[in-house]
Amino acid sequence: MRGVIFRGLEELVVEAIGMQAWDELLEAHAPEGRVYVSPTSYPDAELFALAQGVADKLNKPLTDVLAIFGQSLFGFLAEKHKGISSKFASFEELVLSIDSVIHMEVKKLYDEPNLPSISAIVKDDKTIVLEYCSNRKLCFCAEGLLYGAAQFYSRKLTIEHPQCMHSGAEHCVLILHLD
Ligand code: MNH
Ligand code: ZN
């Protein structure tokens, strides 16, 4: 995973539980002297270990931490890449453009990024059905990112997750319900 994602986690942890907590997490789960540079890749296992460390510190399930992380990560990425995030007039437009525009632009900025495959289909004016597939199985993080995007556009969102790679499915299904 790119350094930018680790920096997003760092920002959240420092805001929520402080700099010392982040230093302790690095001490426990990253090689000595680790510095995360946005465009550089670091092992996925390191991100998962740090996120698990946050979960342990907060006494919360890892899935909750990944969802909260995803939600704050959206604002972090949108701010860092204003040129990309400002292209969309609405939540719906953004969600329908995750693969075709957002992650396409990411591929131009980062050398060979590891991205999920996400397809979205409008079912009716309040419902979007999204399919998520990635060998990293970060669907809970994807849910969080979607909640973060809804917040960005001041929309009320609830998500159903009736099919999941964590239960053996070949892709996750997320049903987005808008108000
Ligand atoms: Mn996007 C990685 C979903 C918006 C840039 N993105 C990921 C991952 C998920 C994801 C899930 C984790 C990798 C994986 O699952 O295999 N991203 C989304 C969703 C939205 C989204 C659901 C909107 C909602 N992403 C954005 C925006 C940007 C962005 C906005 C920046 C402009 N995403 C990234 C980058 C990565 C990433 C950068 C990391 C790629 C890498 O580590 O190589
Ligand atoms: Zn899932």
Side-chain angles (χ1 to χ4, degrees), residues 91 95 126-128 130 146 157-159 174-178:
F91 174 81
V95 167
K126 287 181 173 177
T127 320
I128 300 173
L130 195 143
L146 290 158
L157 172 70
T158 51
I159 301 178
L174 302 182
I175 306 177
L176 314 191
H177 298 281
L178 289 151

Side-chain angles (χ1 to χ4, degrees), residues 67-134:
I68 296 164
F69 172 44
Q71 184 158 359
S72 85
L73 184 62
F74 181 83
F76 185 80
L77 289 171
E79 176 65 32
K80 237 183 142 39
H81 295 291
K82 279 213 176 80
I84 302 178
S85 53
S86 62
K87 283 177 193 273
F88 312 101
S90 66
F91 174 81
E92 287 88 340
E93 213 180 285
L94 181 139
V95 167
L96 293 171
S97 312
I98 297 171
D99 259 29
S100 58
V101 180
I102 298 178
H103 286 164
M104 194 61 84
E105 292 294 325
V106 168
K107 283 181 193 163
K108 294 183 198 160
L109 294 172
Y110 298 86
D111 180 46
E112 296 187 10
N114 250 315
L115 293 164
S117 132
I118 293 177
S119 70
I121 293 170
V122 175
K123 224 179 130 212
D124 57 52
D125 62 350
K126 287 181 173 177
T127 320
I128 300 173
V129 179
L130 195 143
E131 287 182 6
Y132 166 92
C133 184
S134 163

